Amino acid sequence: MDYFLIGTSLAKIAGLLAVVLGIMNYSVYAERRISALIQDRLGPNRVGPAGLLQPIADAFKFLLKEDFTPGHVNKFYYWLAPCLAMIPAIATLAVVPFGSTLFGVPMVIADINVGVLYVFAIASLGVYGIVLAGWSSNSKYPFLGGIRSSSQMISYELSLGLAVIPIFLVAGQLRLTSIVRFQIEHGWMIAPFIGDWTNIGKWLLAVPMLVSFLVFTIAIFAETNRLPFDLPEAETELVGGYHTEYGSMKFGLFFLGEYIAMITGSAIIVTLFLGGWHLPLPSWHGGFHWAVVNGSAPGWRGIIGGIFNIACFFAKVAALLFIFIWVRWSLPRFRYDQLMRLGWVFFFEIALVNIFVVAVIVAYISK
Amino acid sequence: MLSEYLPVLLHIVVAIGFAVSALLVSVLLGKSGRTNRTKDTAYECGMVPQGEAQPRFSVKFYLVAMLFILFDLEIVFMYPWAVVYRETIGADKTILWSMLSFVSILMVGYVYALKKGALDWKN
């Protein structure tokens, strides 16, 4: 047994979970405050200064409410469903590199060579939580919500899967750390001005990459059931959708699992398209170039560099989370036929054509 | 090789532990109230539940699931192709044309499904 590997892995898992659960709690708070700002009202501002302790109060409320299981449900699956909504969202984070190195230890829990496949394999399990919740509740609204959701999530998984193929064409790797390293050397996928910016082929590639990025981001919105794709829990039609029959922490796991899924989705967008933990700093030391800060420098400079990289990563994730919230409070919900048409006809075709645009550019222009 | 996956296993175990312990704490701390027959019925906006709990639904959902499996397999076929694409493309462009022909055959099926109205939810 490799005790060093187990020890560092457990430390990284604990650290990552602490940060992610913290972001989760405060993204709920941020959602409520930003929605209040957008709708010109106050939002939660009573618990602690500016309402900053609201997440703690919410957590206690989830835990102290009556833990009630209605008599008409299928007990086993009713209890399994909230766990299945939460576990895949957390488990997907195992392969995402959230920093360079710190004390010589790479800041990724598992650097496996099938990284992106692992992400898709685990993230798509999330649909089971929602379908089982809808089915096991033995009630009309949850049932309709679960059916809608299964159909919606698998439809947008197609666009999700197609939108990442251009990255493999360019980077030639499934390993997420290698994709980040590729972006450090050649510039971010959608920002060709970083790195060797005189390369014409890179500027050409950035256009289909931007299309890919937009398709992927919108598909993540649909996968996480966020507005404008929140038909599985459309309040005006389905009460609460798939979690109508749930209460206390069982509802809490659905609710918080959605936020964790948002964080995981943002982390994957950042890793694939926005350069991961990398933030290029302009340097004029001996002619202009982009300086790379990482944790490999000796002594305290390496430690600060490592922490800086982790901070960059989570800052990018937080920026994307803000966009998630902003979109939710700005756009109305789709109708179901519009949603399916958008996923199957519009995104599917765009993503497919996009792959061959990239393939032709790689083949003939940017070798 | 296999030791690369040990942290993944640890992470999944921690994730399961988090979900289960959250539910367990809620069971232990949550106050339980009295139950009665009405509390045990399905929620239908306060009315007495009517008809089946799981009503019949559109066959379109089944169609979408079947089409998903078909096209998702196609996408999975493209992954290994995409990964080796850059190192193989050099002088010989066969790898590009072979994938184009593979996808165009599949597109015949896609256009057929589209024309048959399998993805049309309006009626």
Side-chain angles (χ1 to χ4, degrees):
Chain A
M1 291 294 270
D2 189 349
Y3 290 109
F4 179 73
L5 179 70
I6 296 177
T8 49
S9 302
L10 281 178
K12 280 185 280 187
I13 292 168
L16 181 67
L17 269 191
V19 173
V20 167
L21 293 181
I23 295 181
M24 170 194 83
N25 277 322
Y26 277 93
S27 60
V28 178
Y29 169 77
E31 170 113 52
R32 294 171 72 181
R33 290 292 283 197
I34 293 170
S35 67
L37 196 71
I38 290 172
Q39 298 177 335
D40 197 17
R41 56 189 172 83
L42 281 173
N45 64 351
R46 293 285 149 178
V47 192
L52 274 172
L53 297 179
Q54 185 70 37
I56 297 168
D58 287 346
F60 275 105
K61 194 141 194 172
F62 274 138
L63 290 174
L64 296 175
K65 281 284 168 187
E66 180 187 1
D67 197 76
F68 178 64
T69 309
H72 58 88
V73 301
N74 187 321
K75 293 246 166 18
F76 178 69
Y77 294 113
Y78 180 80
W79 280 85
L80 184 66
C83 299
L84 275 181
M86 183 60 119
I87 293 166
I90 299 180
T92 312
L93 284 169
V95 294
V96 178
F98 54 92
S100 51
T101 53
L102 196 59
F103 306 113
V105 180
M107 284 293 110
V108 52
I109 288 165
D111 187 15
I112 54 178
N113 55 4
V114 291
V116 180
L117 287 183
Y118 173 86
V119 167
F120 281 115
I122 301 294
S124 56
L125 290 180
V127 69
Y128 284 105
I130 291 173
V131 172
L132 277 181
W135 177 79
S136 69
S137 290
N138 264 328
S139 175
K140 282 195 199 78
Y141 296 120
F143 182 72
L144 292 174
I147 292 290
R148 277 187 182 186
S149 152
S150 61
S151 183
Q152 169 186 331
M153 284 170 90
I154 59 177
S155 298
Y156 279 82
E157 225 166 89
L158 290 180
S159 325
L160 211 60
L162 283 173
V164 291
I165 291 178
I167 292 180
F168 307 148
L169 286 173
V170 174
Q173 286 279 355
L174 288 173
R175 195 191 286 267
L176 287 171
T177 47
S178 303
I179 292 175
V180 172
R181 205 172 306 128
F182 180 88
Q183 294 183 76
I184 293 169
E185 284 165 20
H186 299 90
W188 302 357
M189 291 295 177
I190 61 161
F193 48 85
I194 300 163
D196 49 344
W197 50 272
T198 47
N199 189 342
I200 302 293
K202 241 179 60 178
W203 287 86
L204 267 180
L205 274 178
V207 179
M209 276 303 171
L210 193 64
V211 174
S212 235
F213 168 70
L214 289 176
V215 170
F216 192 83
T217 309
I218 295 169
I220 288 275
F221 273 81
E223 287 289 306
T224 51
N225 295 323
R226 293 284 295 183
L227 259 167
F229 300 100
D230 73 335
L231 284 118
E233 41 185 325
E235 294 92 343
T236 40
E237 310 160 27
L238 296 179
V239 190
Y242 56 89
H243 54 58
T244 303
E245 297 282 345
Y246 282 86
S248 78
M249 199 63 201
K250 293 198 289 300
F251 165 71
L253 285 188
F254 280 119
F255 181 70
L256 300 175
E258 186 185 307
Y259 281 88
I260 299 245
M262 269 164 66
I263 296 169
T264 311
S266 307
I268 289 161
I269 296 172
V270 167
T271 309
L272 291 178
F273 294 97
L274 303 177
W277 45 263
H278 172 237
L279 185 74
L281 298 173
S283 166
W284 286 269
H285 201 71
F288 177 81
H289 64 278
W290 295 104
V292 176
V293 179
N294 61 28
S296 60
W300 60 270
R301 293 184 52 170
I303 296 172
I304 290 179
I307 293 173
F308 176 73
N309 290 149
I310 296 173
C312 282
F313 180 79
F314 284 109
K316 287 179 192 175
V317 169
L320 277 175
L321 286 177
F322 175 74
I323 293 175
F324 267 85
I325 295 170
W326 189 10
V327 166
R328 172 169 178 185
W329 296 97
S330 308
L331 295 181
R333 188 178 292 134
F334 280 116
R335 222 170 46 212
Y336 204 74
D337 65 302
Q338 295 171 330
L339 171 104
M340 292 313 250
R341 205 180 152 70
L342 187 73
W344 275 96
V345 180
F346 190 65
F347 281 165
F348 185 77
E349 285 168 11
I350 282 192
L352 204 59
V353 170
N354 200 34
I355 289 170
F356 288 102
V357 171
V358 173
V360 167
I361 293 177
V362 170
Y364 291 102
I365 301 163
S366 161
K367 293 206 176 95
Chain B
M1 176 61 199
L2 211 58
S3 72
E4 277 185 346
Y5 288 87
L6 186 65
V8 177
L9 185 69
L10 281 176
H11 189 84
I12 293 175
V13 169
V14 170
I16 293 173
F18 173 74
V20 171
S21 59
L23 287 182
L24 205 66
V25 171
S26 155
V27 170
L28 292 177
L29 291 183
K31 302 250 187 333
S32 50
R34 278 177 300 177
T35 31
N36 54 38
R37 222 159 53 80
T38 332
K39 201 171 170 182
D40 269 339
T41 53
Y43 179 79
E44 278 185 23
C45 308
M47 308 301 280
V48 177
Q50 298 209 334
E52 297 174 81
Q54 299 182 344
R56 294 174 62 167
F57 57 94
S58 171
V59 72
K60 289 265 161 63
F61 290 105
Y62 289 102
L63 274 179
V64 165
M66 287 195 292
L67 289 174
F68 162 74
I69 290 176
L70 188 70
F71 288 110
D72 208 35
L73 275 180
E74 174 208 336
I75 293 169
V76 172
F77 275 131
M78 289 177 93
Y79 277 23
W81 168 79
V83 170
V84 298
Y85 185 76
R86 194 155 207 172
E87 43 194 80
T88 329
I89 193 72
D92 188 12
K93 304 282 190 270
T94 325
I95 188 167
L96 172 61
W97 302 118
S98 53
M99 183 45 86
L100 258 179
S101 52
F102 170 68
V103 169
S104 51
I105 292 168
L106 265 157
M107 278 306 102
V108 176
Y110 175 77
V111 170
Y112 176 75
L114 213 60
K115 287 274 177 271
K116 270 284 184 187
L119 302 168
D120 181 21
W121 287 74
K122 276 221 167 127
N123 33 22

